[in-house]
Amino acid sequence: MAQLAAGVAVVTVRDGRDDLGVTVSALMSVSMDPPLVLLSLASRGYLCEVLLRRDRWAASLLASGQAAIASRFATPGRPSARHLLAGTTHHRGPLSDAFVVGEGVAALEAETAQVVPAGDHTLFIAGVLAVDYVNAAKQPLVRLRGRYRPVG
């Protein structure tokens, strides 16, 4: 599957006083009517554990110039998302209260509607609550063959 290019996103959630986030390349559109997305996370990961308790989260689809942000959120043992976003344009989503990374290609807030165990992963099917922004002028960041790459 490393031969299949995939968009790169940072998924964030607020858990009480803490903010968590992780880089993913397993986020996809499921339905336009109603608008649904699917997120796949390793079942043993802490973010998965939190998303089983917290239904609302945000996904920021990164632009080609944001590989450093993707790397920060992909590092094992990473600190709170607050620290990872220091010096980066971001804000809290009004519906999820999760951090939204600015200056990407798009961002959305979602609410989990269904959870599906799938091997060593857990699938979160979520309704899109809001589209925070879309910037079609920017090129997306993709992951292909284990590396972040710009499109084009």
Side-chain angles (χ1 to χ4, degrees), residues 59-136:
S60 304
L61 287 61
L62 300 182
S64 62
Q66 295 180 307
I69 296 170
S71 293
R72 281 185 228 157
F73 279 90
T75 304
R78 60 198 162 274
S80 170
R82 261 179 261 131
H83 301 294
L84 296 173
L85 289 171
T88 302
T89 302
H90 65 281
H91 63 275
R92 287 205 183 274
L95 300 175
S96 65
D97 205 28
F99 282 132
V100 173
V101 178
E103 302 177 5
V105 294
L108 58 89
E109 292 181 273
E111 183 171 30
T112 301
Q114 186 177 359
V115 176
V116 180
D120 62 356
H121 278 60
T122 300
L123 309 178
F124 296 87
I125 300 170
V128 175
L129 299 171
V131 175
D132 193 84
Y133 67 85
V134 173
N135 188 343

Side-chain angles (χ1 to χ4, degrees), residues 7 12 16 21 31 34 44 50 55 57 66 70 77 80 96 106-107 114 116 137 139-140 148:
T12 55
S31 169
R44 293 185 182 204
V50 173
D55 291 336
W57 44 276
Q66 295 180 307
S80 170
S96 65
Q114 186 177 359
V116 180
Q139 295 296 316
Y148 299 124

